[in-house]
Amino acid sequence: MPAALDPDLKKYAYKYPHLRDHLVHFKKITGKYPEYREELTKEDKKKRPNVLYHIEDMLFAHVWGELAQETKYIVIEPTLNEDEFSKYHIVRELVLEKSIEEKSPESDEEFTDIIEDILSKTVTIKKHPREQNQSRFAKIFNFTGKIEVTEETYNKLRYRLNRDIVGLGPLEPMIRDKYFEDIHVINREITYGVHRIFNMVRTNV
């Protein structure tokens, strides 16, 4: 298994902080990086797989297995910290309110347009560092009345809103994964999936 990061994977890690965090954590606990694949083949099916591939956009999947253990399918997606989660709830409520007040969206594309419209009207990307001694209210809203966030947080909010409102929530990454053929949820807590290359895998969803 590679001790050095694949150049293509390194480019993705530079672009997506959530992927970089996953790679750093995995390297810390295992001492190695996953092998990056543009496309999976039957040759990737091993007793101890350790491969990572790009699903689409901000989504990645890491398949990892150890001897005598279940093969794990790890969804790598943007996550929200406590502060970002509070802002997410504010924007989510506005999106849902607008969807009720106006004509119901007839397609996912129309719902996505609503999300983009609400984001543009309620959220702005920081251009300059803010003073550290602001009140909690001032830290969330700037003088325009909009929620002020970093570009990274803005992209996270957009992703999560689309995932949770337009998509199928936590299951959405697997729905988008072209290698996934079926999903099994056991007791609403453990999710397994049938992977075209690795067969039955246990997910982190």
Side-chain angles (χ1 to χ4, degrees), residues 87 123-126 140 147-151 153-154 157:
K87 294 170 182 174
V123 178
T124 184
I125 297 175
K126 287 182 181 180
I140 295 180
I147 302 172
E148 192 173 61
V149 299
T150 63
E151 184 175 3
T153 297
Y154 186 90
L157 292 174

Side-chain angles (χ1 to χ4, degrees), residues 12 36-37 52-62 73-76 172-180:
Y12 278 127
Y36 177 68
R37 294 286 188 270
L52 188 149
Y53 59 94
H54 188 201
I55 298 176
E56 63 176 46
D57 300 329
M58 306 172 78
L59 294 174
F60 297 83
H62 181 185
Y73 174 94
I74 304 168
V75 172
I76 306 169
E172 186 65 16
M174 290 177 286
I175 298 296
R176 295 193 194 183
D177 189 339
K178 65 182 180 181
Y179 295 106
F180 246 78

Side-chain angles (χ1 to χ4, degrees), residues 60-204:
F60 297 83
H62 181 185
V63 181
W64 176 43
E66 294 287 355
L67 290 176
Q69 293 185 14
E70 293 177 304
T71 299
K72 300 177 181 66
Y73 174 94
I74 304 168
V75 172
I76 306 169
E77 63 179 344
T79 57
L80 303 176
N81 60 36
E82 185 177 350
D83 181 57
E84 291 168 336
F85 205 66
S86 66
K87 294 170 182 174
Y88 162 81
H89 276 296
I90 293 172
V91 180
R92 184 175 184 274
E93 288 303 312
L94 291 171
V95 171
L96 294 178
E97 285 176 12
K98 183 170 182 178
S99 67
I100 293 173
E101 294 170 357
E102 299 185 3
K103 180 182 177 181
S104 298
E106 297 181 355
S107 66
D108 289 350
E109 289 74 18
E110 289 185 8
F111 229 136
T112 298
D113 289 341
I114 290 177
I115 290 173
E116 291 294 334
D117 181 57
I118 291 291
L119 274 174
S120 67
K121 291 178 179 178
T122 60
V123 178
T124 184
I125 297 175
K126 287 182 181 180
K127 294 183 179 179
H128 303 288
R130 306 292 289 175
E131 295 179 3
Q132 298 299 313
N133 59 349
Q134 294 173 310
S135 67
R136 184 175 182 275
F137 181 83
K139 287 180 179 178
I140 295 180
F141 296 93
N142 67 1
F143 68 92
T144 65
K146 292 185 177 182
I147 302 172
E148 192 173 61
V149 299
T150 63
E151 184 175 3
E152 179 185 344
T153 297
Y154 186 90
N155 290 331
K156 286 183 181 182
L157 292 174
R158 175 193 284 154
Y159 167 75
R160 282 295 295 267
L161 288 165
N162 278 285
R163 189 200 78 168
D164 295 345
I165 297 176
V166 181
L168 293 176
L171 297 179
E172 186 65 16
M174 290 177 286
I175 298 296
R176 295 193 194 183
D177 189 339
K178 65 182 180 181
Y179 295 106
F180 246 78
E181 297 181 334
D182 202 1
I183 298 173
H184 303 274
V185 180
I186 302 174
N187 296 328
R188 299 184 180 181
E189 294 181 357
I190 303 174
T191 303
Y192 284 86
V194 179
H195 196 280
R196 184 149 38 105
I197 302 298
F198 300 102
N199 299 325
M200 187 68 74
V201 292
R202 180 168 180 168
T203 78
N204 64 330

Side-chain angles (χ1 to χ4, degrees), residues 1-16 19-24 26-27 31-36 50 52 62:
M1 294 298 175
L5 200 57
D6 178 277
D8 290 330
L9 190 53
K10 190 173 184 179
K11 292 178 183 177
Y12 278 127
Y14 181 80
K15 183 177 181 180
Y16 299 112
L19 174 61
R20 182 170 63 248
D21 291 344
H22 172 78
L23 293 171
V24 169
F26 186 77
K27 178 68 158 52
K32 55 194 175 186
Y33 289 114
E35 298 179 42
Y36 177 68
N50 184 21
L52 188 149
H62 181 185

